[in-house]
Amino acid sequence: MKSNIVAWMQQGNITIPTLLFSEYRNLNLNETELVLLLNIITFIEKGNEFPTPEELSGLMTVSIAECNDMLRRLIQRGFIEIIDQYSNEGIRFEKYSVKPLWEKLVDQFLLNNQVTRQAEQKTEETDVYTCFEKEFGRPLSPFECESLGMWMDDDHHDPIIIKAALREAVMSGKLNFRYIDRILFEWKKNGIKTIEQAKNHGRKFRQKQTEKIQTNKEAHQPSVPFYNWLEQK
């Protein structure tokens, strides 16, 4: 009994991506096909790169004929392939390759990420409209909605940057779309793409304006003026 357990433990392990278990249904694989693929991978990792249907069937609850049918279907559907190779002695031999399976799995992973990004982008865009309506205290007009859409789709402004420009307009007391459009134009011209860059840009401008005011001793002006983006040339 002990020697049998030791022999069983010495058979080793195989490494299977967790993604395969979570995505096999999205690849239109059933559980039996998945187990067959896992057995093929196991044989390959142990050095048998072309296990027979008899060998595969012996590890499963399917007949040899059923195993043959599944292998044929997996090849036709592009999950595995049989490739020819030659030994150092020039002898031709065949082996299974599961590279197509990994390629399909990567494609599925990328598709999932794309769907997630699109959903997140849609949520961000909806949030932008909500922020504008909240600050304006009313529903946006068709023209204003069109302007927002152009900022995101045509000018490729990140929704986060658009909301930052909205906050800048609110702080400056100039809550209108023309002013916000000018802010976005200036930011894009100066290569500003992040919130931190926008903050630094505004901070530097206000510091320069403060120093200028102190030099001219214009006490009637505010000590920390806001950027009048409409006056920029």
Side-chain angles (χ1 to χ4, degrees):
M1 176 65 73
K2 182 177 178 180
S3 60
N4 289 339
I5 294 176
V6 171
W8 171 68
M9 293 177 65
Q10 287 178 331
Q11 289 182 1
N13 305 302
I14 62 170
T15 302
I16 305 296
T18 304
L19 190 64
L20 179 59
F21 288 98
S22 62
E23 296 296 333
Y24 75 91
R25 289 172 298 178
N26 292 328
L27 296 176
N28 295 318
L29 290 168
N30 59 40
E31 282 75 11
T32 307
E33 291 169 334
L34 175 63
V35 172
L36 178 57
L37 287 169
L38 293 178
N39 277 314
I40 292 173
I41 294 170
T42 302
F43 273 108
I44 291 174
E45 290 199 1
K46 290 184 176 181
N48 183 354
E49 297 181 304
F50 198 56
T52 65
E54 290 83 359
E55 290 173 317
L56 293 167
S57 173
L59 298 175
M60 300 176 64
T61 58
V62 298
S63 66
I64 297 174
E66 290 172 326
C67 191
N68 256 321
D69 289 340
M70 277 196 294
L71 287 169
R72 185 176 65 254
R73 288 196 302 270
L74 289 173
I75 292 172
Q76 291 172 346
R77 293 163 58 195
F79 285 99
I80 57 174
E81 62 180 344
I82 299 176
I83 59 178
D84 294 332
Q85 287 197 331
Y86 290 87
S87 65
N88 294 333
E89 294 77 21
I91 301 175
R92 174 181 170 275
F93 65 93
E94 295 178 326
K95 71 174 189 177
Y96 284 120
S97 171
V98 292
K99 181 180 178 181
L101 171 63
W102 304 140
E103 290 176 343
K104 284 182 177 291
L105 197 58
V106 170
D107 288 340
Q108 184 63 39
F109 174 76
L110 295 176
L111 176 62
N112 290 344
N113 280 356
Q114 181 181 0
V115 171
T116 301
R117 285 197 302 271
Q118 289 174 345
E120 291 175 347
Q121 182 178 3
K122 189 67 177 178
T123 301
E124 288 178 353
E125 291 176 1
T126 302
D127 187 43
V128 169
Y129 284 89
T130 302
C131 287
F132 269 73
E133 290 183 339
K134 181 179 179 181
E135 292 296 345
F136 277 75
R138 58 171 174 78
L140 298 181
S141 68
F143 173 77
E144 291 169 338
C145 289
E146 183 180 354
S147 296
L148 264 178
M150 289 179 61
W151 290 341
M152 288 184 282
D153 299 333
D154 297 345
D155 298 332
H156 306 292
H157 290 299
D158 190 293
I160 296 177
I161 291 297
I162 295 175
K163 287 191 285 186
L166 171 62
R167 286 194 295 271
E168 181 77 21
V170 171
M171 292 172 62
S172 300
K174 300 181 182 294
L175 189 58
N176 63 75
F177 269 70
R178 181 167 173 247
Y179 193 79
I180 296 170
D181 184 64
R182 185 64 185 186
I183 293 173
L184 292 171
F185 175 80
E186 289 294 328
W187 283 355
K188 187 174 184 178
K189 185 175 70 174
N190 286 278
I192 294 172
K193 298 180 180 180
T194 68
I195 293 293
E196 191 59 34
Q197 288 174 336
K199 288 180 179 178
N200 289 336
H201 190 266
R203 185 161 51 245
K204 288 179 181 178
F205 170 80
R206 282 187 269 274
Q207 182 178 356
K208 288 181 181 178
Q209 288 297 95
T210 301
E211 292 173 354
K212 181 179 178 182
I213 291 169
Q214 291 174 346
T215 301
N216 296 331
K217 297 182 179 180
E218 296 177 356
H220 64 280
Q221 295 185 10
S223 59
V224 185
F226 290 102
Y227 206 148
N228 188 350
W229 298 91
L230 295 179
E231 294 179 358
Q232 298 307 302
K233 297 180 181 181

